[in-house]
Amino acid sequence: MGLLSLAIWTPIFFGAVLLALGRDEHVRAVRWVALIGAIVSLLVTLPLYSGFDNATAAMQFVEKAPWIERFNVHYHLGLDGISFWFVPLTAFITVIVVIAGWEAITSRVNQYMGAFLILSGLMIGVFSALDGLLFYVFFEATLIPMYLIIGIWGGPNKIYAAFKFFLYTLLGSLLLLIALIYLYVHSGGSFDIQTWHDLPLPRTAQTLLFFGFFAAFAVKVPMWPVHTWLPDVHVEAPTGGSAVLAAIMLKLGAYGFLRFSMPIAPDAAHEWAWLMVALSLIAVIYVGLVAMVQQDMKKLVAYSSVAHMGFVTLGFFIFNDLGVSGGLVQMIAHGFVSGAMFLCIGVLYDRVHSREIAAYGGVVNTMPKFAAFALLFAMANCGLPGTAGFVGEWMVILGAVKANFWIGLASATALIFGAAYTLWMFKRVYLGPVANDHVKELEDINAREFLMLALLAIAVLAMGIYPKPFTDVMDVSVAELLKHVAVSKLN
């Protein structure tokens, strides 16, 4: 078993152990097993960084074994510079989520923790899979634990939100499956994704494949106008569910564009780039305006996620190194920042049981330590230089200006909206005099919450001040992808 298999199956194993433990009889033991499992799963991913060679675009840590031999399906794993950082990011966010749910979850604790650990392994599988069918199995399997997390531990309309999440993402994925079967047949019976990258495909086939992939990946990102499931799901999901959804699950769709849409159908990607850029700019500008009028903190941050992910898809489809690398950096940064924003909302919700902005005011007076963390994450969400939120957006804007000045200008002006809705929310929730008795009775964060937020704060600042380790890993792979996409595959 190689390092990638360990990264995938270690959290799944611990998740299965948790499910086997008694429901609520051994809560203390369950929490510690979950934490140990999450930390071990993170430690398993660390040797990947020390063993990764930045100088090559080839797949590394490759594992390949026959799986369904009759159909030439393989258990085939590998990482390159594009997928690398999402493996440790997933494991890191899982540790944070386990710490976040330590006291907040009191019923079916083993199932809650087990679902997150299993979800973590499945998401790492998506980023590691080099076999089309294996990718699809992991991609779809992630829906199951997240559906249960929303449907069991969610808010009052949890069943509606869980069904909406499941149906939106499943319907798009059915077109992805048809595209994968077409590629399997056209390639002479191979599910190898890298083999598909070199297939000479006619223009019509490329266009159909591109939109088949688009149906699955755009919903997952989510791009405008198929983003409407996200605010409902975020509002109803428990805090940990929102954090993982925003930090990792949205990235599965964006990653799919780089692994499937662009290299397999490069001519269609170039032909329809104008549509992708237009939809991305609508997400960045229009959804940013929608975020300004939200009264629910979770909805505001949910719409903010759609706007930030618009920068990602914009960066990918301007086809230059700054844009694509910036999109990838933005995905990682958004994982830290949006996860932190949702966890901050969870800290307040656990105390007041309201997500309405109007229910707060003057929180800084009673929770000064917590307000300091919240300010840092709010500034990162605005894209303040020196925080993780700045690096990716700045790179995408530079790449957009390089491609087309007006696209760059439109994306840059959208940062004003991001600052407006984030700072407006911060002002109304945290600043000013104490607004009511609920706020007056608030207690500052305890040691567990401090640890959770401090880990995220370190990640946000480290990436903002010194992003070189992140960009160095992806540079060669991004350059190779752009070189590949620039060559026509028309036969």
Side-chain angles (χ1 to χ4, degrees), residues 10 17 30 34-35 95 126 171 176 237 239 241 303 385 426 437 444 476-477:
T10 300
V17 169
V30 162
L35 183 60
V95 174
V126 174
L171 288 172
L176 170 65
T239 301
Y303 281 114
F426 186 85
D437 291 339
D444 213 341
V476 177
S477 294

Side-chain angles (χ1 to χ4, degrees), residues 130-274:
L130 296 181
D131 181 277
L133 192 63
L134 183 66
F135 173 89
Y136 185 78
V137 169
F138 279 131
F139 190 76
E140 290 303 282
T142 58
L143 297 182
I144 300 166
M146 183 53 80
Y147 174 79
L148 295 173
I149 288 163
I150 299 163
I152 296 173
W153 294 277
N157 293 324
K158 59 191 178 186
I159 303 300
Y160 165 77
F163 266 101
K164 193 170 184 181
F165 163 73
F166 198 85
L167 289 174
Y168 261 75
T169 46
L170 183 68
L171 288 172
S173 299
L174 292 175
L175 291 174
L176 170 65
L177 181 60
I178 294 168
L180 298 183
I181 293 169
Y182 172 85
L183 288 165
Y184 170 76
V185 173
H186 197 79
S187 62
S190 172
F191 272 110
D192 188 272
I193 294 172
Q194 289 171 293
T195 301
W196 291 349
H197 288 183
D198 298 316
L199 284 179
L201 296 166
R203 185 177 294 278
T204 305
Q206 283 199 39
T207 301
L208 291 172
L209 285 169
F210 182 83
F211 283 104
F213 294 141
F214 176 85
F217 301 142
V219 169
K220 208 85 163 186
V221 168
M223 293 181 73
W224 184 89
V226 287
H227 67 289
T228 54
W229 62 271
L230 187 70
D232 291 330
V233 170
H234 271 311
V235 166
E236 298 305 324
T239 301
S242 286
V244 167
L245 183 64
I248 312 294
M249 283 198 81
L250 304 189
K251 314 303 181 291
L252 301 181
Y255 171 74
F257 282 122
L258 290 183
R259 188 61 81 219
F260 288 86
S261 305
M262 290 166 67
I264 293 173
D267 298 295
H270 279 287
E271 185 182 346
W272 293 99
W274 65 269

Side-chain angles (χ1 to χ4, degrees), residues 281-467:
L281 286 175
I282 291 171
V284 171
I285 297 168
Y286 166 70
V287 178
L289 289 169
V290 172
M292 279 193 201
V293 299
Q294 299 306 313
Q295 301 302 313
D296 183 304
M297 287 188 285
K298 261 197 171 183
K299 267 198 174 176
L300 188 148
V301 179
Y303 281 114
S304 159
S305 285
V306 178
H308 284 111
M309 290 303 290
F311 272 100
V312 173
T313 48
L314 174 64
F316 291 170
F317 285 91
I318 51 182
F319 299 107
N320 61 40
D321 51 353
L322 266 174
V324 176
S325 295
L328 282 166
V329 170
Q330 172 70 355
M331 284 164 74
I332 301 160
H334 181 257
F336 294 135
V337 176
S338 66
M341 294 281 286
F342 280 114
L343 290 168
C344 284
I345 294 167
V347 167
L348 290 174
Y349 184 78
D350 289 344
R351 288 161 168 75
V352 179
H353 300 293
S354 174
R355 289 182 298 266
E356 293 294 317
I357 294 171
Y360 298 92
V363 171
V364 69
N365 298 290
T366 48
M367 301 179 75
K369 285 187 213 165
F370 172 65
F373 281 120
L375 178 62
L376 170 65
F377 300 134
M379 289 299 171
N381 202 50
C382 297
L384 182 76
T387 64
F390 171 75
V391 185
E393 289 183 359
W394 178 240
M395 290 171 73
V396 170
I397 291 167
L398 286 178
V401 169
K402 194 172 160 187
N404 182 300
F405 173 78
W406 297 108
I407 293 173
L409 181 66
S411 59
T413 52
L415 289 179
I416 298 165
F417 303 138
Y421 59 69
T422 307
L423 296 177
W424 189 47
M425 177 181 77
F426 186 85
K427 171 183 173 287
R428 291 191 294 162
V429 172
Y430 294 94
L431 303 182
V434 171
N436 55 52
D437 291 339
H438 291 303
V439 176
K440 188 185 288 186
E441 292 164 9
L442 288 176
E443 291 182 9
D444 213 341
I445 47 176
N446 57 33
R448 175 186 59 82
E449 292 166 328
F450 186 91
L451 172 66
M452 169 185 83
L453 296 175
L455 288 171
L456 284 163
I458 291 165
V460 166
L461 288 171
M463 188 176 182
I465 294 166
Y466 191 62

Side-chain angles (χ1 to χ4, degrees), residues 42-80:
L42 175 60
L43 293 175
V44 163
T45 67
L46 298 184
L48 293 170
Y49 183 71
S50 57
F52 192 84
D53 181 4
N54 292 347
T56 176
M59 289 293 169
Q60 301 178 49
F61 311 106
V62 174
E63 300 172 40
K64 190 171 185 180
W67 178 28
I68 308 172
E69 293 187 60
R70 184 179 173 189
F71 296 106
N72 198 23
V73 182
H74 291 84
Y75 176 77
H76 190 188
L77 306 174
L79 288 181
D80 63 358

